[in-house]
Amino acid sequence: MRTLLVMMLILGFIYPMVLIGVGKLSPDKSNGGLLRDANNEIVGSRLIANPVEGDQWFQPRPSAAGDNGWDAMSSSASNAAVVSQEYQDEIAKRRAEVAAREGVSEDRVPVDAVTASGSGLDPHISTAYAEIQVPRIAKATGLGEDDLRQLIKDNQVGFMNSFTGSPNGVAVNVVTLNYDLAKLVAE
């Protein structure tokens, strides 16, 4: 009985309090990385990408989460094999669409522009993918390309690996990038 009471105290109270305390060391991530507008209203999370429509926004990676993508309740990869012809056809289709949208040759389209992340909701894109979007966004918003490149630089984050193709493990958080872009356009 004593062992049961001690374990209940440790696992039911002390351990959860320690985890909450550790979470308080990084409140931004433990509270969902919430983005708030000028009225303190929640407008999104810097930890989860979301779809955007229109030429004035930086596009995130494709999503494989759920039947139509972007479903956080069905977060997962496509599980398609690289050797699958259906997967290869989908990648080729996406590459052609991105190249046409950005006005670049297909060989300039970065891999992260055509492949979904493991979760299907990753908010990070490569600097190369962000850079090829600059001319389109400058035209749509009227902002200078140098201003947009500075926004990209301001939203670069260290990344654990260089899977996105960015040198030195640097990626761009497309959610915060679009958030800052919206604020700049509103000025």
Side-chain angles (χ1 to χ4, degrees):
M1 197 60 165
R2 274 190 230 155
T3 303
L4 177 64
L5 289 173
V6 168
M7 294 307 289
M8 282 176 53
L9 177 67
I10 291 171
L11 298 175
F13 182 72
I14 296 172
Y15 180 69
M17 289 298 128
V18 168
L19 290 182
I20 289 170
V22 169
K24 296 294 182 189
L25 296 175
S26 180
D28 180 56
K29 289 183 180 174
S30 64
N31 290 330
L34 301 176
L35 291 172
R36 298 178 183 272
D37 64 12
N39 299 324
N40 207 27
E41 298 281 330
I42 297 171
V43 295
S45 168
R46 65 178 41 91
L47 304 176
I48 299 175
N50 49 7
V52 293
E53 292 184 22
D55 285 341
Q56 71 274 24
W57 304 113
F58 286 92
Q59 296 295 315
R61 294 178 72 167
S63 175
D67 293 335
N68 299 313
W70 310 109
D71 180 1
M73 297 301 289
S74 297
S75 175
S76 67
S78 68
N79 291 331
V82 176
V83 295
S84 162
Q85 188 59 49
E86 183 179 340
Y87 181 70
Q88 291 297 325
D89 292 344
E90 181 65 25
I91 296 299
K93 177 183 165 209
R94 288 178 184 167
R95 180 168 280 115
E97 288 171 356
V98 171
R101 182 183 70 223
E102 305 306 340
V104 298
S105 63
E106 289 187 22
D107 63 332
R108 287 203 48 219
V109 175
V111 69
D112 61 306
V114 296
T115 57
S117 67
S119 69
L121 301 167
D122 185 6
H124 300 101
I125 62 174
S126 66
T127 304
Y129 186 29
E131 286 284 338
I132 68 167
Q133 298 183 62
V134 166
R136 171 183 49 83
I137 295 167
K139 183 178 177 185
T141 62
L143 295 172
E145 290 188 12
D146 289 339
D147 293 331
L148 293 171
R149 285 189 181 89
Q150 185 60 47
L151 278 180
I152 291 170
K153 186 176 181 183
D154 293 345
N155 285 280
Q156 287 180 330
V157 293
F159 211 54
M160 283 195 254
N161 63 41
S162 59
F163 177 76
T164 60
S166 296
N168 304 321
V170 175
V172 179
N173 187 318
V174 73
V175 177
T176 59
L177 179 59
N178 281 329
Y179 178 76
D180 290 346
L181 176 60
K183 290 191 304 189
L184 188 61
V185 169
E187 290 177 354

